[in-house]
């Protein structure tokens, strides 16, 4: 009996061995040979001879967006022979430090928070950008943008994608039917809201739920309003803790945002009372515009991806966006936005080649053509931007008169920017008063 | 959504690798544990046979060197414990006395922060509420249920019903209960069971998970729902183990069911009761998944484990996160010591 059983076990082991061998054959080695030398590859010769090398990239970009990313650098891969291995994670912000501390850092990371980038730079984990990357970045981006990835005078990498946050989404169709007009000042905006509220519809849709990151859409509101009431200089002092977080000017901005966000007559179209803002996911929040349950939704340019299938996003379509009006004419036309930066944890030549390529105009145009993407790259040709909202955004970003400021919560230290600030906004929506919330956030900033 | 097999191929390949690796490891282990000893046994058998028939000298059975043997089996465990548990524990303690990046010593500042920051005091308080309520309520429910279904007609079915939630992960259970507590505006169809009940009774839908301190209690309900089954199973087994003659003697003495419970059942199952309460207390101290899934620690519902994760991994405050971890560790130690002493006494007694 014992003999029979052991033979059986041996047989199993043998089959296993075969299976393992077969699987090993299945993977094969499918290294692409580069097409270097062909005519269309001439532009990539400057990235040097790195055939057969591999560069790992880590980011928060997933699903369709990740596929588009892979498509956007395909030609670069084919021509240079560098294989770019991209990995997107929904827990990017929490996992990147773990990977870096654990000695498993990616070659490149697309970091959307200058605060996080600074932390890595201060800890000496990041490699300064190569001279070629710096030259390319300086040629293509305004100094305003480059300063976010410059730490203590050292430049760490160019911006990649960008977005414009100062938009209010609306339905041009509904506006036409009801005879409403797009407001160009804050007073007009409030007047319009009152008109809509009087007609029995809740004018605004708001949602700040975003799983781990719940609260961020509310921080954008405060930042956008502060930029309009107090101006860019005060805004810069606020994001760098030059003035306390609970400065009266910030409190004013919060209260002004509150006249919309905490107004039971204004919110929350289709979702319930003010408190429902905290549980409404930001992806779903604007959708009731398409069914007429609300009329206005302040959200970034990338919200274009969130509309239900078949919704026409255009100036004369089902939905479109207008510029979130200025408040104080003396402060000009400020624009709030964000974007990610290509930072390197390795300085091998192929890594620097990819980093330089991603800063180039060729890359920006290659990615823009695929759609749903905005960049502040000056070489980006408007003709290559298919989506009308993206066109509007790129136009704003490239306009030299635009007073651009980066998302404040991303600039602050993580404990504040993605910690107490987010939490504070949730509590504020949930009923806590302005002074308590701002005081609490100020206390957490060391 | 269409399913494109070719597009999903990498995932299937990954799945196959996982399966193959699993089979290889488990199969290898089985092979090692089955074939190798069997081979030795057969050899010895053959030697014995040869000795008894051919008159060859009986092979002397080697005396197993127990110490060496034990060490051989203990070594991997000790090594893994050192790498995976002792090392990180020491590092965490050291980090808790350092600043956010783990560069400079800051003494007890992180601990001072823990007890002075309002939001963290709130977290400690919440954890206290959890630790007081969950073991108490879950054990009480489990005990009552065990006593009631004992020798009832459909005992096994009744038991499996309450034991089922144990099989669901904490995250899964939290998602289920999140739906129970869900809110929709009063002009919409309610998708939350609780609010639907409120609405059909003529009330206004409420934000269950946004009202402190009610929300913490509602989260505790989830934990009790999961753990009552565990308490019930252990206690039911203990009740079954009470010697029949004791029960019979009590019956002959004419006890009431009340007296039976307090004077026979309770003293008899006391050791099992302690095991249940201590195990539940440790599990509750570590609770993380439920809070993170249901509210993410917002609306004043955070607990130590959740806050520890946030501080260390999301906010980059390794020092403060480690201090919370060490505090949690200190809280668990007395429970573990008590548990071990209890087990040892039982074995001796």
């Amino acid at each position: 009996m014992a003999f029979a059983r052991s033979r059986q076990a041996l047989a199993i082991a043998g089959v296993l061995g075969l299976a393992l061998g077969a699987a090993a054959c299945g993977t094969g080695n499918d290294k692409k040979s580069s097409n270097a030398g062909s005519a269309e590859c001439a532009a990539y010769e400057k990235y040097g001879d790195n055939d057969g090398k591999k560069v790992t990239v880590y980011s928060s970009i997933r699903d369709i967006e990740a596929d588009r990313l892979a498509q956007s650098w395909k030609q670069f891969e084919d021509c240079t022979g560098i294989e770019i291995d991209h990995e997107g994670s929904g827990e990017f912000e929490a996992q990147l430090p773990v990977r870096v501390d654990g000695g498993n850092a990616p070659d490149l990371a697309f970091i959307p928070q200058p605060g996080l980038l600074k932390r890595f730079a201060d800890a000496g984990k990041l490699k300064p950008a190569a001279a070629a990357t710096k030259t390319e970045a300086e040629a293509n981006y305004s100094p305003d943008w480059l300063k976010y990835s410059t730490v203590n005078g050292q430049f760490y990498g160019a911006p990649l994608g960008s977005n414009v946050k100062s938009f209010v989404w609306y339905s041009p169709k509904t506006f036409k039917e009801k005879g409403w007009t797009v407001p160009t000042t804050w007073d007009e905006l409030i007047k319009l809201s009152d008109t809509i509220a009087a007609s029995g519809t809740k004018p605004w849709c708001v949602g700040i739920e975003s799983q781990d990151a719940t609260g961020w859409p509310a921080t954008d509101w405060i930042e956008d309003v502060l930029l309009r009431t107090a101006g860019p200089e005060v805004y810069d002092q606020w994001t760098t803790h030059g003035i306390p977080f609970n400065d009266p000017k910030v409190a004013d901005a919060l209260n002004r945002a509150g006249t919309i966000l905490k107004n039971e007559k204004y919110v929350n179209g289709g979702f319930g009372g003010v408190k429902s803002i905290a549980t409404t996911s930001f992806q779903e929040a604007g959708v009731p515009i398409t069914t007429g349950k609300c009329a206005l939704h302040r959200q970034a340019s990338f919200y274009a991806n969130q509309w239900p299938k078949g919704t026409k996003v255009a100036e004369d379509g089902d939905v479109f966006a207008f510029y979130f009006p200025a408040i104080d004419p003396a402060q000009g036309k400020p624009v709030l936005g964000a974007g990610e930066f290509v930072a390197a944890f390795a300085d091998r030549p192929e890594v620097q080649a990819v980093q330089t390529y991603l800063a180039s105009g060729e890359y920006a145009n290659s990615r823009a053509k695929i759609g749903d993407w905005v960049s502040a790259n000056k070489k980006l040709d408007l003709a290559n931007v298919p989506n009308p909202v993206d066109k509007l955004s790129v136009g704003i970003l490239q306009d030299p008169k635009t007073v651009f400021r980066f998302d404040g919560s991303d600039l602050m230290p993580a404990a504040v920017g993605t910690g107490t600030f987010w939490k504070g906004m949730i509590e504020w929506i949930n009923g806590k008063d302005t002074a308590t919330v701002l005081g609490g956030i100020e206390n957490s900033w060391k | 959504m269409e399913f494109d097999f070719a597009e999903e191929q990498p995932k299937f390949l990954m799945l196959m690798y996982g399966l193959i690796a699993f089979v290889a490891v488990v199969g290898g282990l089985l092979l090692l544990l089955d074939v190798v000893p069997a081979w030795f046994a057969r050899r010895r058998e053959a030697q014995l046979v040869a000795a008894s028939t051919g008159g060859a000298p009986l092979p002397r059975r080697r005396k197993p060197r127990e110490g060496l043997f034990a060490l051989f089996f203990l070594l991997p465990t000790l090594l893994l414990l050192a790498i995976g548990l002792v090392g990180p524990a020491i590092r965490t303690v050291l980090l808790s006395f350092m600043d956010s990046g783990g560069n400079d010593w800051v003494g007890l500042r992180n601990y001072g922060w823990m007890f002075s920051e309002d939001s963290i005091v709130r977290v400690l308080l919440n954890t206290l509420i959890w630790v007081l309520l969950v073991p108490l309520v879950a054990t009480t429910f489990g005990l009552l249920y065990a006593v009631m279904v004992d020798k009832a007609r459909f005992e096994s079915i009744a038991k499996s019903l309450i034991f089922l939630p144990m099989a669901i992960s904490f995250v899964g259970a939290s998602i289920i209960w999140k739906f129970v507590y869900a809110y929709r505006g009063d002009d919409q169809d309610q998708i939350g069971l609780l609010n639907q009940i409120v609405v059909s009774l003529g009330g206004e839908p409420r934000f269950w998970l946004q009202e402190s301190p009610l929300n913490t209690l509602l989260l505790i309900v989830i934990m009790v729902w999961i753990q009552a089954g565990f308490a019930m199973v252990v206690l039911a087994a203990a009740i079954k183990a009470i010697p029949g003659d004791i029960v019979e003697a009590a019956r002959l003495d004419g006890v009431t069911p009340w007296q039976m419970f307090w004077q026979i059942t309770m003293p008899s199952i006391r050791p099992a009761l302690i095991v249940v309460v201590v195990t539940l207390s440790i599990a509750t101290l570590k609770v993380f998944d439920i809070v993170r899934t249901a509210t993410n620690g917002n609306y004043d519902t955070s607990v130590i484990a959740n806050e520890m994760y946030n501080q260390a991994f999301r906010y980059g405050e390794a020092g403060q996160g480690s201090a919370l971890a060490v505090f949690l560790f200190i809280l668990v130690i007395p429970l573990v010591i008590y548990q071990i002493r209890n087990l040892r006494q039982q074995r001796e007694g």
Side-chain angles (χ1 to χ4, degrees):
Chain A
M1 186 64 206
F3 185 68
R5 258 181 58 204
S6 63
R7 212 165 47 181
Q8 196 182 355
L10 271 173
I12 294 173
V15 171
L16 279 175
L18 278 177
L20 274 173
C25 291
T27 57
N29 192 355
D30 55 354
K31 188 178 90 63
K32 283 165 259 158
S33 62
S34 76
N35 301 328
S38 67
E40 59 197 17
C41 283
Y44 297 96
E45 262 164 29
K46 60 181 168 187
Y47 297 111
D49 182 25
N50 292 301
D51 198 357
K53 301 281 173 55
K54 195 165 137 178
V55 175
T56 58
V57 177
Y58 192 51
S59 81
S60 56
I61 300 166
R62 285 174 298 161
D63 303 330
I64 300 177
E65 296 286 305
D67 294 343
R68 289 174 173 159
L69 206 56
Q71 203 185 329
S72 71
W73 54 51
K74 179 133 195 344
Q75 201 182 10
F76 173 82
E77 285 184 297
D78 287 347
C79 289
T80 58
I82 299 176
E83 188 192 338
I84 302 177
D85 189 3
H86 171 256
E87 183 193 343
S89 165
E91 296 261 300
F92 173 79
E93 285 85 356
Q95 285 306 312
L96 184 61
V98 174
R99 285 189 56 172
V100 172
D101 290 343
N104 184 27
D107 294 331
L108 293 172
F110 300 164
I111 305 180
Q113 296 90 7
L116 187 62
L117 188 143
K118 184 177 181 300
R119 198 164 108 207
F120 286 128
D122 284 340
K125 307 274 187 192
L126 284 183
K127 302 281 186 228
T133 313
K134 198 174 177 210
T135 317
E136 191 73 59
E138 278 168 354
N140 297 338
Y141 290 92
S142 72
D144 256 359
W145 274 94
L146 299 184
K147 77 172 183 221
Y148 298 121
S149 54
T150 304
V151 182
N152 298 327
Q154 190 69 255
F155 177 68
Y156 286 98
L160 191 70
S162 318
N163 56 66
V164 173
K165 298 202 169 199
S166 303
F167 280 133
V168 178
W169 289 86
Y170 72 110
S171 165
K173 254 187 200 161
T174 315
F175 267 51
K176 208 171 172 193
E177 275 168 29
K178 308 260 182 181
W180 299 331
T181 47
V182 168
T184 51
T185 65
W186 180 267
D187 291 335
E188 283 177 29
L189 184 72
I190 297 298
K191 210 185 256 170
L192 175 66
S193 306
D194 285 333
T195 311
I196 300 171
S199 75
T201 312
K202 295 274 172 70
W204 290 88
C205 282
V206 195
I208 63 168
E209 197 273 340
S210 179
Q211 293 168 18
D212 248 18
T214 299
W216 71 261
T219 66
D220 286 2
W221 267 89
I222 313 314
E223 288 153 10
D224 233 351
V225 172
L226 181 69
L227 208 49
R228 281 159 175 69
T229 53
E233 282 76 33
V234 173
Y235 183 84
D236 290 342
Q237 290 167 358
W238 176 63
T239 56
T240 53
H241 214 204
I243 56 171
F245 198 99
N246 54 351
D247 189 271
K249 290 187 184 111
V250 184
D252 280 350
L254 197 55
N255 287 331
R256 190 185 276 265
T259 58
I260 292 176
L261 296 178
K262 287 190 156 192
N263 189 337
E264 291 281 359
K265 284 194 196 108
Y266 281 8
V267 294
N268 188 14
F271 296 107
V274 169
K275 279 186 174 185
S276 73
I277 289 175
T279 50
T280 305
S281 81
F282 93 93
Q283 291 99 330
E284 287 172 26
V287 175
I289 289 183
T290 56
T291 54
K293 283 201 168 142
C294 62
L296 304 161
H297 178 58
R298 197 217 73 96
Q299 192 50 273
S301 53
F302 54 70
Y303 199 76
N305 300 323
Q306 302 296 342
W307 299 105
K309 264 212 171 91
T311 309
K312 191 182 169 199
V313 182
E315 207 156 352
D316 56 350
D318 301 315
V319 287
F320 201 59
F322 62 79
Y323 170 73
F324 189 49
I327 297 171
D328 180 359
Q331 305 295 356
K333 269 201 167 184
V335 168
L336 184 75
E340 63 268 355
F341 297 84
V342 183
F345 292 95
D347 52 5
R348 303 194 308 275
E350 65 270 23
V351 176
Q352 293 181 335
V354 174
Q355 206 184 6
T356 310
Y357 169 65
L358 293 178
S360 70
E362 289 90 51
Y363 175 74
N365 284 298
S366 158
R367 174 65 187 88
K369 275 181 208 163
I370 302 167
D372 285 334
W373 193 71
V374 173
S375 170
N377 195 312
K378 286 187 226 159
K379 298 244 173 73
L380 178 57
D381 186 353
L382 260 185
N384 285 332
V385 183
N387 182 323
V389 171
D390 291 348
K391 246 191 183 88
L392 194 66
S393 310
V394 174
I396 289 175
L397 287 173
Q398 289 185 344
D399 184 352
K401 275 177 282 179
T402 296
V403 181
F404 179 85
R405 281 300 178 275
F406 205 89
D407 186 320
S409 59
D410 291 337
L411 296 173
M412 297 169 186
V416 179
T418 63
T420 49
F421 195 2
W422 285 353
K423 247 197 167 95
M425 286 302 102
I426 299 166
E427 285 166 356
W428 183 70
I429 290 291
N430 207 28
K432 266 200 187 146
D433 65 288
T434 302
T436 314
V437 168
L438 291 181
I441 303 171
E442 168 62 19
N443 279 340
S444 72
W445 198 332
K446 288 180 280 241
Chain B
M1 205 131 116
E2 275 170 56
F3 188 78
D4 187 355
F5 189 82
E7 212 166 87
E8 305 293 332
Q9 209 189 356
K11 286 176 196 166
F12 282 111
L13 206 69
M14 224 47 212
L15 186 70
M16 201 181 74
Y17 283 154
L19 284 175
I20 290 173
F22 175 78
V23 174
V25 170
V26 174
L29 274 175
L30 283 177
L31 198 70
L32 196 76
L33 296 177
D34 183 58
V35 175
V36 177
W39 186 76
F40 277 110
R42 244 181 305 123
R43 204 178 66 165
R44 186 165 169 76
E45 210 176 316
Q47 280 171 344
L48 283 173
V49 169
S52 61
T53 52
L58 199 72
R60 206 159 50 87
R61 200 188 177 96
R62 255 185 302 157
K63 217 179 175 185
R65 269 165 276 178
E66 273 185 27
L68 216 71
F69 229 60
L71 196 69
F72 174 75
F73 282 108
L74 273 177
L75 209 63
T77 316
L78 287 177
L79 202 73
L80 289 176
L81 271 179
I83 296 171
L85 206 69
V86 181
I90 293 171
R91 184 164 175 263
T92 305
V93 173
L94 291 180
L95 274 176
S96 74
F97 296 108
M98 290 181 174
D99 66 355
S100 55
N103 301 318
D104 297 309
W105 298 97
V106 295
L108 287 168
R109 198 181 72 193
N110 291 326
Y111 293 91
W113 160 83
M114 203 160 81
F115 293 105
S116 59
E117 185 87 25
D118 284 349
S119 60
I120 306 301
V121 172
R122 175 85 226 178
V123 167
L124 300 181
L125 243 133
N126 282 341
T127 309
L128 186 71
I129 298 173
W130 275 82
V131 174
L132 287 180
L133 282 182
V134 173
L136 192 76
V137 179
T139 313
T140 310
F141 264 115
L143 182 59
L144 285 179
Y145 203 84
V147 171
M148 280 191 304
V149 301
D150 189 44
K151 299 193 184 93
R153 258 187 79 196
F154 297 105
E155 188 182 341
S156 50
I157 295 176
K159 273 185 181 169
S160 24
L161 274 181
I162 198 170
F163 192 65
L164 273 180
M166 273 289 282
I168 304 174
S169 71
F170 279 25
V171 173
S174 307
I175 290 172
I176 293 171
W177 280 87
K178 230 176 136 176
F179 278 113
V180 172
Y181 299 143
Y183 166 89
R184 283 291 178 274
D186 45 10
D187 53 341
Q188 288 175 292
D189 290 336
Q190 294 297 326
I191 63 162
L193 180 67
L194 206 55
N195 269 328
Q196 180 57 47
I197 294 172
V198 169
V199 168
S200 43
L201 292 175
E204 288 264 307
R206 289 177 69 177
F207 294 94
W208 297 108
L209 290 178
Q210 280 166 264
E211 292 171 21
S212 176
L214 178 70
N215 46 12
T216 295
L217 298 180
L218 292 175
L219 295 187
I220 287 174
V221 168
I222 304 176
M223 184 79 160
V224 169
W225 183 70
I226 299 173
Q227 299 288 17
F230 163 73
M232 185 271 299
V233 169
V234 176
L235 296 176
I239 290 173
K240 286 258 182 293
I242 300 173
D245 43 359
I246 297 183
V247 179
E248 208 172 323
R251 287 245 169 80
L252 288 176
D253 286 344
V255 292
T256 62
W258 189 249
Q259 282 171 324
M260 178 73 128
F261 179 74
W262 284 110
Q263 284 165 16
I264 307 294
T265 311
M266 278 301 264
S268 307
I269 63 168
R270 196 176 150 264
L273 212 55
I274 291 171
V275 169
V276 168
V277 170
V278 172
T279 311
L280 285 183
S281 303
I282 295 176
T284 311
L285 272 173
K286 295 187 296 187
V287 68
F288 167 76
D289 333 39
I290 293 178
V291 172
R292 194 167 158 75
T293 312
T295 64
N296 212 349
N298 291 316
Y299 322 114
D300 290 337
T301 56
S302 199
V303 289
I304 293 181
N306 188 56
E307 195 61 28
M308 174 184 91
Y309 174 84
N310 278 346
Q311 293 289 342
F313 297 115
R314 286 185 50 208
Y315 308 161
E317 297 284 353
Q320 294 176 358
S322 302
L324 285 165
V326 171
F327 185 66
L328 195 60
F329 186 56
I330 292 172
L331 288 183
V332 175
I333 288 176
L335 287 170
V336 174
I337 291 176
Y338 181 75
Q339 175 91 308
I340 291 172
R341 274 189 49 192
N342 197 42
L343 281 174
R344 200 169 277 166
Q345 272 169 6
Q346 272 179 45
R347 207 173 296 157
E348 281 162 7

